């Protein structure tokens, strides 16, 4: 059966082409301006757009519409309303007004607000984001929206994201104007998101309460085989997985998500899916949609898709690589080294801006990926460390070194150029090996931020990236706009910036022990846990940054920080309670039953043959009984730690208690239980094992 991909691609999306066909010309032009330049929407066109959208959606089978938003829960929210409007005589019409398209009202009181929204003022508003296409899914027209409180404070992730994109554009345009670009009206940030995930058979998933409640295994002895043979990465796709991926691709294409690359990842049963990049807000909406479909299509194949950062303790976890770039509204990538020295001067200034931003705001970048699930990855063996550094590759490093030292730059294989700052060389784009151990790597024409976790909404990493780079641009523009001799001033600024911030650049192995020591020597931040990172969020310098660029107010920052602490405590509490339940009701009884069975067997053997060898039984009964006793003690300690943590004041204090006492208590219980698993007969063990879950699919 052939698939006509160009025809089915985006067939459920109210995209530019559909708008062109269905909107009156003037309305279309006006809307396009809003989309392309971030201009405010002209409210007078809303009715026409709403009418066209409704008619199109009905043709696609829709009966309802919903404002689709991203509250601080980490997942998306939707409330469906039908187009139905009574017209008297017991009849109805299908209606959708411009007002209903632009603004929705919803009860905000059940969404996390971190104290922003007083409970007596429960009203919240959703506002249409015209720059992200509406689409029809499951008989409903989905309209991407921002979500704010009655008083206008953001209660979601999209609002600050859009503000950060504006901030970067405003400051970036100042920079390129200085280099003579008078045409560009807007600078866009583009993002390509690589999504890693695990698949598991649904029947096994359903036997694991930990996967159901916490999304990850809280117990589990390592399987005899892990990823040591490196035979899974890019390996042949199993038929079942292949079929799943094919259906997923098709579903995503229909929804206008340009799914492009798919392959097996490092760990058994781990995979990756990457779409083609797009404008940041659209890429993030599409990533959220993609996660929804990854789970939905899995069900159709008797599978479950695990998006948690660390479903299994002994193998690699899942990340979400954020490939980030900036470009002009005419599509010119500003992170691409140019062909002429002048272009390269602009490139080097932008590179210097990013280097400075990453160094100045290591804490915010770390914060942007702080998530309980990601704590199992960062600093682990397969993922970037919790320390932020950046990789620029050998070619660019040579350029940077020559600038800092004022020496010659040798373009490999070509003629030697006298750099003798102030002149700037031409150079080819990064040709060196890629560095998979760097948290933030330059990859030729974009940066790959590799720390985000697989389950995260990518808004926060991009809010931070956009804002910190906007700040560097702002500082640079302040200097350069006043400079008498522009060329000299640029060169001086590049040199000074790279010199001052070179400590953040590290091209070596980010997973090595030496790097940990070296990073400490360089004075780089090492915020090990999410809680450490949350604490850094509301530092004075960070509040100053976000408010200066109009991305988040102090109240919005503090409320978000509060939500982070609360969310952390809630998640760890769920994990602790799940462990308690599994150990008490499933695991310890199973081990006791097995021990009793072994004991009964030993008694039977001894009564049959006096003095028969029962060393195995004796050892097993002793060891398992010790483990059960110790496990029981660990269980009590965990219950107490959890109760004590919950008794703390909600917010920071509670999060700290969960991080510092509950997590270690969980770890101790797990060690005992995993040791029991290794000694208990398969018939008695109440859970699918790591081997079952990762290899039998
Ligand atoms: P890797 O080799 O790092 O696994 P992939 O091909 O899986 O790379 O993913 C790279 C991602 O980067 C893709 O989503 C791709 O569309 C995206 N990308 C490419 N160019 C840009 C750009 N200019 N801005 C943002 N993302 C980009
Ligand atoms: Mg990839």
């Amino acid at each position: 059966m052939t698939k006509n991909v160009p025809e089915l691609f985006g067939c459920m999306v109210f995209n530019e082409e559909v708008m062109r066909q269905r909107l009156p010309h003037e309305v279309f032009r006006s809307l396009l301006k809003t989309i392309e330049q971030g201009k405010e929407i002209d409210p007078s066109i809303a009715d026409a757009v709403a009418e066209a959208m409704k008619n199109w959606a009905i043709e696609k089978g829709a009966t309802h519409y919903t404002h689709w938003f991203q509250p601080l829960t980490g997942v998306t929210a939707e409330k469906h309303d039908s187009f139905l409007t009574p017209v008297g005589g017991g009849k109805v019409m299908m209606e959708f007004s411009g007002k209903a398209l632009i603004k929705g009202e919803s009860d905000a009181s059940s969404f996390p607000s971190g104290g922003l929204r007083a409970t007596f003022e429960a009203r919240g508003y959703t506002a249409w984001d015209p720059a992200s296409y509406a689409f029809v899914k499951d008989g409903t027209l989905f309209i991407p929206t921002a979500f704010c409180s009655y008083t206008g404070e953001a209660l979601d992730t999209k609002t600050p994201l859009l503000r950060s994109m504006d901030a970067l554009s405003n400051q970036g345009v100042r920079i390129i104007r200085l280099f003579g670009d008078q045409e560009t009206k807007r600078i866009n940030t583009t993002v390509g998101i690589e999504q890693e995930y695990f698949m598991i058979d649904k029947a096994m998933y359903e036997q694991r309460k930990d996967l159901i409640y916490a999304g990850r295994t809280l117990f589990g002895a390592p399987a005899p085989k892990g990823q040591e043979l490196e035979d899974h990465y890019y390996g042949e796709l199993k038929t079942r997985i292949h079929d799943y991926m094919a259906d997923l691709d098709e579903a995503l294409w229909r929804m206008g998500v340009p799914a492009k690359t798919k392959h097996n990842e490092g760990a058994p049963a781990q995979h990756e899916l990457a779409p083609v990049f797009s404008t940041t807000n659209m890429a993030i909406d599409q990533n959220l949609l993609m996660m929804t479909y990854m789970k939905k299509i899995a069900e159709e194949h008797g599978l479950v898709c695990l998006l948690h950062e660390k479903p299994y303790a002994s193998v690699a976890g899942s990340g979400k690589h954020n490939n980030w770039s900036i470009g002009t509204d005419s599509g010119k990538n500003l992170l691409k080294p140019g062909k002429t020295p002048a272009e390269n001067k602009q490139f080097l200034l932008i590179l210097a801006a990013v280097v400075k931003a990453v160094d100045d705001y290591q804490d915010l970048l770390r914060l942007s990926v702080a998530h309980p699930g990601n704590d199992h990855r960062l600093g682990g063996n397969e993922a970037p460390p919790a320390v932020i550094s950046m990789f620029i590759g050998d070619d660019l490093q040579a350029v940077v070194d020559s600038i800092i030292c004022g020496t010659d730059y040798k373009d490999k294989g070509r003629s030697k150029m006298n750099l003798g700052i102030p002149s700037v060389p031409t150079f080819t784009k990064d040709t060196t090996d890629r560095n998979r151990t760097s948290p933030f790597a330059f990859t030729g024409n974009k940066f790959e931020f590799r720390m985000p976790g697989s389950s995260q909404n990518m808004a926060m990493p991009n809010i931070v990236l956009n804002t910190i780079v906007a700040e560097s641009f702002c500082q640079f523009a302040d200097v350069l706009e006043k400079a008498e001799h522009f060329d000299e001033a640029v060169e001086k600024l590049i040199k000074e910036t790279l010199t001052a911030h070179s400590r953040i650049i590290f091209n070596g192995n980010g997973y090595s022990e030496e790097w940990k020591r070296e990073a400490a020597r360089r004075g780089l931040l090492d915020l090990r846990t999410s809680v450490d990172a949350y604490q850094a969020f509301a530092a004075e310098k960070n509040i100053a940054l976000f408010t200066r660029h109009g991305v988040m107010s102090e109240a919005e920052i503090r409320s978000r920080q509060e939500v982070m602490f609360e969310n952390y405590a809630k998640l760890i509490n769920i994990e602790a309670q799940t462990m308690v339940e599994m150990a008490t009701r499933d695991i310890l009884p199973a081990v006791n039953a097995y021990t009793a069975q072994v004991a009964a067997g030993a008694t039977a053997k001894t009564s049959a043959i006096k003095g028969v060898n029962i060393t195995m039984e004796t050892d097993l009964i002793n060891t398992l009984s010790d483990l059960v006793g110790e496990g029981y003690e660990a269980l009590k300690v965990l219950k107490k730690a959890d109760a004590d943590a919950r008794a703390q004041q909600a917010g920071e204090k509670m999060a700290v208690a969960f991080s510092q006492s509950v997590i270690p208590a969980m770890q101790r219980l797990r060690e005992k239980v995993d040791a029991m698993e290794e000694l208990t007969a398969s018939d008695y063990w109440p859970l699918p094992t790591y081997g079952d879950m990762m290899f039998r699919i």
Side-chain angles (χ1 to χ4, degrees), residues 605-624:
K605 276 165 87 172
T606 313
S607 68
I609 307 170
K610 211 171 160 20
V612 70
N613 185 331
I614 51 162
T615 45
M616 176 193 161
E617 288 86 342
T618 315
D619 280 357
L620 205 50
I621 294 166
N622 271 326
T623 315
L624 280 176

Side-chain angles (χ1 to χ4, degrees), residues 47-107:
D47 278 330
V49 178
E51 182 66 15
M53 252 188 203
K54 178 204 70 185
N55 291 335
W56 169 83
I58 287 173
E59 284 168 32
K60 298 287 172 192
T63 52
H64 287 67
Y65 71 92
T66 181
H67 276 198
W68 185 54
F69 57 104
Q70 299 164 28
L72 301 176
T73 50
V75 294
T76 55
E78 54 197 74
K79 175 185 125 216
H80 302 216
D81 274 302
S82 69
F83 294 121
L84 178 153
T85 314
V87 288
K91 289 201 166 302
V92 296
M93 269 176 58
M94 296 301 256
E95 265 189 350
F96 186 45
S97 69
K99 223 175 103 215
L101 165 65
I102 289 187
K103 192 181 97 179
E105 204 182 315
S106 74
D107 181 355

Side-chain angles (χ1 to χ4, degrees), residues 392-535:
I392 59 171
D394 293 346
D395 274 10
L396 265 186
Q397 186 63 57
V399 176
V400 167
D401 288 345
S402 65
I403 291 173
I404 292 176
C405 309
T407 52
D408 288 354
Y409 163 71
K410 267 190 228 141
D411 184 359
K412 273 192 222 129
R414 269 192 267 161
S415 62
K416 185 172 124 178
M417 219 175 316
N418 186 332
L419 193 77
I421 288 296
S423 78
V424 176
T426 60
F427 47 85
T428 48
K429 73 174 190 177
D430 174 36
T431 50
T432 51
D433 248 8
R434 301 202 295 178
N435 183 321
R436 296 215 161 261
T437 65
S438 175
F440 197 84
F442 183 68
T443 51
N445 61 359
K446 59 182 165 29
F447 282 96
E448 183 178 5
F449 187 26
R450 304 179 65 253
M451 290 172 97
S454 51
S455 74
Q456 271 190 276
N457 176 319
M458 293 310 276
M460 200 56 184
N462 287 291
I463 292 168
V464 168
L465 265 173
N466 295 343
T467 314
I468 63 180
V469 174
E471 172 63 19
S472 292
F473 283 167
C474 176
Q475 289 186 24
F476 285 4
D478 286 348
V479 172
L480 296 176
E481 283 165 0
K482 284 197 273 260
E484 279 182 26
H485 302 286
F486 178 69
D487 283 355
E488 280 170 31
V490 172
E491 277 149 17
K492 186 161 165 270
L493 196 53
I494 294 173
K495 182 173 177 169
E496 280 174 4
T497 308
L498 291 175
T499 308
H501 297 283
S502 63
R503 65 170 186 170
I504 200 73
I505 300 174
F506 176 65
N507 294 315
N509 179 3
Y511 295 178
S512 66
E513 282 303 312
E514 301 85 81
W515 169 235
K516 271 193 199 149
R517 285 192 292 276
E518 168 69 10
R521 203 187 54 71
R522 292 188 189 186
L524 299 180
L525 265 186
D526 188 6
L527 300 171
R528 278 158 207 258
T529 71
S530 289
V531 174
D532 297 334
Y534 300 153
Q535 285 169 328

Side-chain angles (χ1 to χ4, degrees), residues 217-457:
T217 53
L218 298 164
F219 299 109
K225 181 181 173 187
Q227 60 190 89
E228 63 276 34
L229 297 181
E230 292 169 346
D231 53 352
H232 195 258
Y233 190 64
Y234 281 19
E236 200 180 323
L237 299 175
K238 288 185 177 165
T239 307
R240 203 170 167 196
I241 297 298
H242 173 272
D243 291 349
Y244 161 71
M245 287 177 165
D247 283 358
L248 178 60
D249 275 341
E250 184 169 335
L252 291 173
W253 290 335
R254 283 178 192 282
M255 303 309 293
V257 179
K260 173 103 173 149
T261 309
K262 56 186 181 186
H263 58 82
N264 283 350
E265 257 301 328
Q270 191 188 29
H271 314 280
E272 181 186 296
L273 173 58
V276 178
F277 72 98
S278 58
T279 315
T280 304
N281 56 327
M282 183 116 87
I284 292 173
D285 287 356
Q286 290 190 337
N287 177 251
L288 291 166
L289 196 59
M290 200 167 100
M291 291 198 283
T292 302
Y293 273 91
M294 290 168 86
K295 287 186 275 191
K296 195 174 143 94
I297 305 290
E299 297 254 340
E300 294 168 10
H301 290 257
L303 296 163
V304 173
C305 173
L306 303 176
L307 291 169
H308 193 284
E309 282 77 11
K310 196 78 174 177
Y312 305 108
S314 52
V315 298
S318 296
K320 182 138 70 183
H321 301 172
N322 190 78
N323 293 273
W324 175 91
S325 184
I326 51 182
T328 65
D329 47 20
S330 61
K332 187 168 178 288
N333 185 341
L334 294 171
L335 287 180
K336 201 170 163 182
K339 290 198 181 67
T340 65
E343 282 178 33
N344 276 339
K345 210 173 272 179
Q346 178 181 307
F347 167 76
L348 285 173
L349 186 72
I350 292 173
L351 177 75
V354 179
V355 170
K356 172 178 161 56
V358 174
D359 189 29
D360 283 344
Y361 295 100
Q362 299 165 42
D363 52 349
L364 283 180
L365 282 168
R366 173 67 184 88
L367 164 86
S368 77
V369 299
H371 178 67
N374 220 12
D375 281 359
H376 302 286
R377 261 182 91 234
L378 299 181
N381 201 34
E382 85 289 348
V387 180
I388 308 274
S389 66
M390 67 196 276
F391 166 89
I392 59 171
D394 293 346
D395 274 10
L396 265 186
Q397 186 63 57
V399 176
V400 167
D401 288 345
S402 65
I403 291 173
I404 292 176
C405 309
T407 52
D408 288 354
Y409 163 71
K410 267 190 228 141
D411 184 359
K412 273 192 222 129
R414 269 192 267 161
S415 62
K416 185 172 124 178
M417 219 175 316
N418 186 332
L419 193 77
I421 288 296
S423 78
V424 176
T426 60
F427 47 85
T428 48
K429 73 174 190 177
D430 174 36
T431 50
T432 51
D433 248 8
R434 301 202 295 178
N435 183 321
R436 296 215 161 261
T437 65
S438 175
F440 197 84
F442 183 68
T443 51
N445 61 359
K446 59 182 165 29
F447 282 96
E448 183 178 5
F449 187 26
R450 304 179 65 253
M451 290 172 97
S454 51
S455 74
Q456 271 190 276
N457 176 319

